[in-house]
Amino acid sequence: MTQIINKYILPNELSIHFFVNGFSFCTSSQIDFTPINSGIEELKVLLKKKLEFFPKDNFEIFSVVFFQRPSTFVPRKFFDSKKSKIYLSLYNKTPKEDIVAYDILDSQQQVNIYSFEKEIKTIINENEIQFNWIHYNTILHKKILGICSFIEFQYQLFIHIQYKAVDVFLAKTDQIVFNNRFSIKNEDEFLYYIFFVVEQFGLKFDDFEIIFLGKFSKYNKYYDLTSQFHKNYKFIENDSEIIIDQSKHSAPYLANYSG
C-alpha cells in the first residue's frame, strides 16, 4: 500500500471515503455522499457510475480512505507482512474475499492492518487511475499522538463518533495504551463502552479527561449524556483552513482528511 503524504484533502485532490452505509466523493470544497442500502452489488453499480461521470480531469491526486472495517495495530518490530491475515483474524473476522492491507506509521513504529472488499480495488483499477490507500484509524492514530497533552491529567480518553460506531483511544505519557472500535445503536450503548474502558483501566475521575474529536449537532445527545457522568471533557476541532459542509459525511471529523 502506498502511503499518503498529505494531511488534508488538497484543492487538486479527489478522495473517496468508503463506509458501511455508502461512500463519499470528497474534495476540498464539497462532499457528495452516495448511500448503499443492499450490499456489494449495489456498491459496484453505483461506484462504477460515479467514477464514469465524475470530472476526474480536474484532479491530479487521488486517494481512498477505508472506514468499513475495524483495524488492528502491530508493533513494527514484530510485524511480518506474510502474517497480516493472521494478525487481523485475532481481532476481527475478515471475509475470505477481502483484500488485507496495511499502513506503516514510521514515526510511531506501528503497522495498522485492515481489510476491504476486493471489488472496490477492481472497479477503481478499471479506471486506470493511481489511487493511494489508507485506513481511517491510521489518520486518527497520528492525529491523537500529535495533539495529546498531559499537563493537567495523567490520561486522556479520545472519542471519535461515526456512523453506528465509536472509536476510543486511551493515551498516557505520549503513548496510546488502548484503542478499539465499538458498534453502537444508541446513547446508552455509547456510554456503556466508554465506561467499560474506564473501569478496565481503573481510571479515577480526577486522573483523566475525555476529548471528543469534533463537535457536531447530530451527536449532541452523546455529549450531554457524557457531561452528566464526567466533568472533565472538551472538544478538539481539526485545524483545516478549508470549511466544508460535514453533515452528510458518516465520520464528520474526518470529512476533509485524506491521510
Side-chain angles (χ1 to χ4, degrees):
M1 288 294 144
T2 304
Q3 286 285 55
I4 301 172
I5 59 173
N6 56 290
K7 184 177 181 182
Y8 297 111
I9 297 172
L10 300 174
N12 61 342
E13 179 177 9
L14 167 64
S15 187
I16 308 177
H17 296 184
F18 288 97
F19 306 93
V20 294
N21 63 327
F23 59 87
S24 292
F25 272 47
C26 303
T27 69
S28 61
S29 60
Q30 68 178 29
I31 298 170
D32 185 358
F33 178 70
T34 301
I36 301 296
N37 301 308
S38 58
I40 191 64
E41 291 303 319
E42 182 184 14
L43 170 63
K44 288 164 63 176
V45 171
L46 294 178
L47 180 57
K48 282 184 178 180
K49 185 179 296 185
K50 200 75 176 180
L51 283 168
E52 287 174 1
F53 292 100
F54 203 83
K56 298 182 289 296
D57 292 342
N58 294 344
F59 304 96
E60 298 175 5
I61 302 172
F62 300 88
S63 61
V64 167
V65 183
F66 292 109
F67 290 82
Q68 307 107 307
R69 312 267 200 264
S71 68
T72 188
F73 287 91
V74 175
R76 189 169 184 181
K77 63 182 178 180
F78 300 128
F79 177 70
D80 181 349
S81 61
K82 296 178 181 178
K83 298 180 180 179
S84 294
K85 287 187 178 181
I86 297 175
Y87 299 136
L88 195 57
S89 68
L90 298 174
Y91 174 71
N92 184 59
K93 186 175 181 180
T94 303
K96 288 184 179 180
E97 301 79 12
D98 268 19
I99 291 176
V100 175
Y102 58 87
D103 303 326
I104 298 174
L105 292 76
D106 287 319
S107 59
Q108 291 82 31
Q109 290 298 300
Q110 295 282 330
V111 178
N112 186 25
I113 307 168
Y114 55 98
S115 71
F116 60 91
E117 297 97 331
K118 68 176 182 180
E119 288 85 355
I120 292 177
K121 185 176 182 180
T122 299
I123 293 168
I124 289 179
N125 286 346
E126 288 174 355
N127 281 265
E128 299 181 349
I129 297 174
Q130 181 63 49
F131 276 81
N132 294 315
W133 313 80
I134 198 168
H135 190 270
Y136 81 94
N137 225 9
T138 301
I139 301 172
L140 285 181
H141 196 284
K142 292 180 178 180
K143 178 69 176 179
I144 288 168
L145 284 177
I147 62 177
C148 60
S149 171
F150 303 95
I151 298 174
E152 296 183 58
F153 301 93
Q154 185 177 3
Y155 293 91
Q156 289 183 314
L157 191 64
F158 291 88
I159 298 175
H160 171 251
I161 307 174
Q162 58 173 305
Y163 176 76
K164 291 188 176 182
V166 58
D167 301 289
V168 181
F169 290 77
L170 181 63
K172 178 185 180 183
T173 59
D174 298 330
Q175 290 186 348
I176 293 174
V177 296
F178 171 85
N179 86 277
N180 204 345
R181 165 171 155 170
F182 301 102
S183 297
I184 56 173
K185 298 177 182 177
N186 52 49
E187 300 90 73
D188 290 336
E189 290 188 358
F190 163 80
L191 197 64
Y192 169 82
Y193 286 120
I194 298 304
F195 286 98
F196 166 79
V197 176
V198 171
E199 290 177 5
Q200 288 295 305
F201 283 87
L203 302 181
K204 298 179 180 179
F205 281 85
D206 291 334
D207 286 345
F208 77 98
E209 66 176 336
I210 291 175
I211 300 175
F212 288 100
L213 297 178
K215 185 178 183 181
F216 307 96
S217 59
K218 62 182 176 180
Y219 299 136
N220 278 341
K221 290 182 179 180
Y222 296 91
Y223 309 143
D224 293 341
L225 189 59
T226 302
S227 70
Q228 296 176 29
F229 293 91
H230 194 67
K231 64 179 181 179
N232 300 317
Y233 70 95
K234 65 182 180 182
F235 302 89
I236 295 289
E237 304 291 345
N238 70 47
D239 54 359
S240 172
E241 297 179 356
I242 300 174
I243 305 300
I244 58 177
D245 180 10
Q246 301 165 315
S247 61
K248 293 185 178 180
H249 197 277
S250 293
Y253 180 74
L254 297 177
N256 56 0
Y257 280 82
S258 65

